[in-house]
Amino acid sequence: NYSEDYGVPFTPAIGLEGRIWKLLYMKMSFSRNFRIPTFNERYWVPGGNDNLDPEKSWNQEVSFLIKPQSINKSILYELHFTMYNSLVDNWILWIPSGSFSEPVNIKEVWSRGIELEGKMVYKFVHSDIQLNGGCTFARSTNEIKLSDLDESYKKQLIYVPVNRVFLKLTYSVRNWFISYDHQYTGIRYTTPDNSSYLPGYNLGNLSIGQFRSMNQTMMDVRLEVMNIWNKKYQSVAYYPMPGRYFRMVIGIKLKAKKDES
């Protein structure tokens, strides 16, 4: 990579993956990353910061996949477990500043966590039921104390939730489907010293739709009820999110044409 504004360092990466025991697979990686500030981070009006330094980080990740053979021809399932660790210099974080937010560099951030995700599918003759679920535990803390009065030292970064949980249940019959997904987001701190926070919240969304395949085109048409329980919550302090609302989504996917030669 090359940038006229920033000196891009050497960013090596190495990874290994494969089966380590019967139905257990492992994947691991070690890398160095370099991210220059985006156009919006530098020039968004109002709030852009043209004095941002690029992020530099060392990252490690290990993940395991348990993928058993089907219990029978009707049931399929798999389980993912991931652990990650990153040490980031000049982490770029948007923080409230008066009536708007602006990005700033946090000197050094230690980000680490675990993720657990699973899937199970039960197949009938002309239909199937699929359950997806998962949870995350993520800690992102400021690791450099800039002064004796720096109360952000070792504290969770603002607006970065520690806990998240999600579940999604989908029933499909031929080319029709109906699904419900539920998400829990834990508390998010709104001050660097973690003295104030926004409460956690639960959200539910309902979707019903149909898939259509025509030659090399796949069309997905669905009607969605978002925030079906009309939950009152805020992702950013003093900015309430919408209650229950409806939307229609039309997606078109073009299939790659096979080479018949």
Side-chain angles (χ1 to χ4, degrees):
N1 295 331
Y2 173 76
S3 171
E4 292 183 352
D5 298 324
Y6 305 98
V8 180
F10 177 56
T11 54
I14 185 172
L16 297 170
E17 63 178 296
R19 184 167 65 181
I20 58 175
W21 181 74
K22 293 183 178 180
L23 308 176
L24 180 62
Y25 299 79
M26 185 180 74
K27 181 178 181 181
M28 60 188 302
S29 63
F30 179 83
S31 64
R32 184 186 187 191
N33 289 348
F34 178 84
R35 186 179 79 84
I36 64 175
T38 65
F39 188 85
N40 282 345
E41 288 168 341
R42 295 181 65 182
Y43 303 115
W44 186 265
V45 179
N49 183 354
D50 193 27
N51 295 316
L52 289 171
D53 292 322
E55 290 181 351
K56 302 175 184 179
S57 65
W58 288 99
N59 314 284
Q60 305 87 42
E61 182 176 303
V62 178
S63 62
F64 298 91
L65 168 64
I66 300 175
K67 191 173 183 180
Q69 301 295 327
S70 60
I71 299 175
N72 54 49
K73 294 183 178 180
S74 301
I75 302 177
L76 303 171
Y77 66 97
E78 60 184 50
L79 184 66
H80 295 260
F81 177 74
T82 300
M83 298 178 291
Y84 66 89
N85 181 75
S86 297
L87 194 61
V88 186
D89 288 328
N90 299 320
W91 177 296
I92 298 174
L93 179 69
W94 287 81
I95 63 172
S97 176
S99 59
F100 56 88
S101 295
E102 66 175 349
V104 298
N105 286 117
I106 306 297
K107 187 61 178 176
E108 185 174 290
V109 171
W110 181 21
S111 177
R112 67 277 192 195
I114 59 176
E115 301 175 353
L116 181 65
E117 184 174 348
K119 177 176 72 173
M120 184 173 68
V121 181
Y122 192 97
K123 294 182 175 292
F124 300 94
V125 177
H126 296 296
S127 62
D128 62 71
I129 295 177
Q130 179 168 319
L131 177 65
N132 296 75
C135 60
T136 63
F137 173 82
R139 290 277 289 158
S140 297
T141 53
N142 177 21
E143 293 300 305
I144 290 184
K145 194 171 186 178
L146 299 180
S147 70
D148 292 338
L149 300 177
D150 186 359
E151 297 182 335
S152 69
Y153 180 59
K154 296 292 185 179
K155 300 295 177 62
Q156 181 77 356
L157 298 187
I158 64 172
Y159 294 111
V160 180
V162 174
N163 301 299
R164 285 180 173 167
V165 180
F166 75 91
L167 288 170
K168 183 175 183 179
L169 181 64
T170 303
Y171 176 68
S172 303
V173 52
R174 292 187 170 86
N175 60 337
W176 286 89
F177 67 90
I178 182 170
S179 68
Y180 172 79
D181 69 86
H182 195 92
Q183 306 161 26
Y184 168 75
T185 301
I187 65 171
R188 285 138 302 130
Y189 296 104
T190 57
T191 54
D193 63 357
N194 290 180
S195 60
S196 299
Y197 63 88
L198 294 173
Y201 56 88
N202 288 278
L203 289 181
N205 304 308
L206 183 68
S207 178
I208 183 170
Q210 184 183 40
F211 290 105
R212 285 288 185 182
S213 181
M214 299 173 289
N215 297 324
Q216 299 298 316
T217 304
M218 175 72 76
M219 179 175 288
D220 169 15
V221 181
R222 67 180 69 194
L223 176 64
E224 298 179 335
V225 186
M226 309 301 291
N227 192 6
I228 192 171
W229 309 117
N230 202 30
K231 177 68 177 179
K232 295 180 180 179
Y233 70 102
Q234 297 178 26
S235 292
V236 178
Y238 310 112
Y239 287 87
M241 297 298 288
R244 183 186 303 114
Y245 64 98
F246 301 83
R247 69 181 187 182
M248 176 174 282
V249 178
I250 299 176
I252 298 176
K253 182 185 294 185
L254 300 177
K255 300 178 184 178
K257 192 172 181 179
K258 294 182 179 180
D259 187 358
E260 298 179 354
S261 60

